[in-house]
Every structure is written in structure tokens, then in C-alpha cells.
Amino acid sequence: MLAVTFVLFIGGKFELASAAQPNAEFEIQKLTSCYALGTDAIGRGNLQQGKNIYRDCFTQDAVLTAIFPDGATQTNYGTDSWADFVYSVFQGNGYTATQHLMGTINISVENNKASMTSYLHATHKRSETSIDVANGTYEDQVVNKNGRWKIRNRTLKLIDFLNLSSPTTASSSTNARSANSSTTLVIPNIPRLK
């Protein structure tokens, strides 16, 4: 009590932010898992579940942008629009399941705003013998509204998108181990919105 009185007396400001910041960082970090779970629901073909999960991760007016390795970009406004885009890409490429792994999460909190970056490694199953693998970085602007942290702006910068396929049964194990014999680059079929 004496310390608080002293701080107020000398005109200082008593801040509780430092005690709350670790909790804020934890809450913000959970948004990366939230997004991955929503995206993987869409990857299983459950668009509505993905939309519902996204609503827990993002503000209602969220802006989401993807920048592809070839420089093409896609921007959507609102999570339902983004979910529809993700669903069209996944369906257009014939994915039967996806798995999004998030890591190397860096968060900077300032009052009710934060910035966050996180690395992505995503696997997209085409068949029992073929997957597409994507790697990139998410750059997020996060806000706290009514006591809840949500992503307001998300930019995905993809650094690669590769197709990996198992060698055919006719290939010998020697050929399968030869340099890049089972790896080919395939540009994903990304629908472009007009």
C-alpha cells in the first residue's frame, strides 16, 4: 500500500501490464493453433466447421492475404470469404486431408495491440502416394477487443510449394534413392478471383 501511495504521490503511473503480458502472449500464441485447426477442418472437407473455428481466431473485419512463390497474391476480407477461398483451393487440388504445423512464433505486445510472426509447414494429401508441401511465414496484426485477442490482419508469405510422390512400384529402390527421382515441383491450382 505504501509503495502504491508513493508512486501516486510522485506522479508516477502504476502499471500492471508487465504482469499481464505473459498471459497475453500465451493467448495470442493460441491463435496460431486456432487457425491451423480451422484450416485442417476445411482440408477434411468440413467447410462450416472451418468457418466456425476461424471466427474464434479473427476479428469480424479481418483482412487475409496470401503471397505465393510466383509473386501472385490473393486477398480476402472476412473469414467466411477466406474459408471459401481455402476450400476452393483444397477441392481444386483434390486434397483429402491437410496438416498445418506452426512454429517459431515471435510475439510483440504493446497495450491492446500485438504483432506476431510464425512459421508454417503444411502437408496436403493428394493420394496414398502423393502430397503437396508448403512452407512459409505468417505475419499477423493482433488486437484485444473486449478482453479477447484476435487476428485483424494476416499475411502468408509462401516460400515454396512442392509435390512429393512415392516412386512407382516398377522403380527399383536404387532409382528411388537417386537424386530427386521422386520429387517434382508442381504449382498448385490456385483459383484466381476476378
Side-chain angles (χ1 to χ4, degrees):
M1 182 70 169
L2 184 58
V4 172
T5 304
F6 178 72
V7 169
L8 292 174
F9 178 73
I10 63 170
K13 197 161 105 179
F14 188 71
E15 299 228 6
L16 297 174
S18 61
Q21 187 166 329
N23 189 48
E25 288 183 12
F26 176 72
E27 292 300 317
I28 294 165
Q29 182 174 334
K30 289 189 335 185
L31 296 172
T32 60
S33 298
C34 178
Y35 177 79
L37 293 171
T39 302
D40 289 338
I42 295 169
R44 289 188 303 276
N46 194 333
L47 176 60
Q48 190 58 52
Q49 182 183 23
K51 286 182 176 184
N52 293 341
I53 294 171
Y54 279 176
R55 290 179 188 129
D56 287 336
C57 315
F58 293 92
T59 62
Q60 191 174 15
D61 61 347
V63 178
L64 298 97
T65 299
I67 302 171
F68 299 96
D70 66 358
T73 64
Q74 173 68 39
T75 299
N76 290 77
Y77 301 90
T79 56
D80 282 357
S81 174
W82 181 255
D84 290 338
F85 169 70
V86 169
Y87 183 79
S88 70
V89 170
F90 289 178
Q91 293 297 304
N93 282 293
Y95 300 148
T96 59
T98 64
Q99 183 180 65
H100 287 71
L101 303 175
M102 309 304 296
T104 315
I105 300 167
N106 187 27
I107 299 167
S108 176
V109 180
E110 187 173 325
N111 299 322
N112 286 329
K113 295 182 180 179
S115 59
M116 175 172 58
T117 59
S118 51
Y119 291 173
L120 162 72
H121 177 83
T123 303
H124 305 83
K125 182 179 177 185
R126 286 182 171 271
S127 69
E128 293 304 315
T129 60
S130 177
I131 61 171
D132 287 344
V133 177
N135 293 289
T137 301
Y138 288 108
E139 297 176 354
D140 301 319
Q141 297 301 314
V142 184
V143 294
N144 186 327
K145 287 190 174 182
N146 303 319
R148 293 203 53 206
W149 289 98
K150 291 192 175 193
I151 300 169
R152 176 183 283 162
N153 294 82
R154 165 161 275 196
T155 300
L156 167 59
K157 295 180 178 179
L158 287 165
I159 60 171
D160 64 30
F161 206 106
L162 304 171
N163 176 263
L164 306 174
S165 299
S166 297
T168 62
T169 55
S171 298
S172 70
S173 60
T174 303
N175 288 339
R177 286 190 301 260
S178 67
N180 295 325
S181 67
S182 65
T183 304
T184 57
L185 173 63
V186 174
I187 304 301
N189 179 19
I190 312 246
R192 302 289 182 223
L193 302 178
K194 303 280 182 206

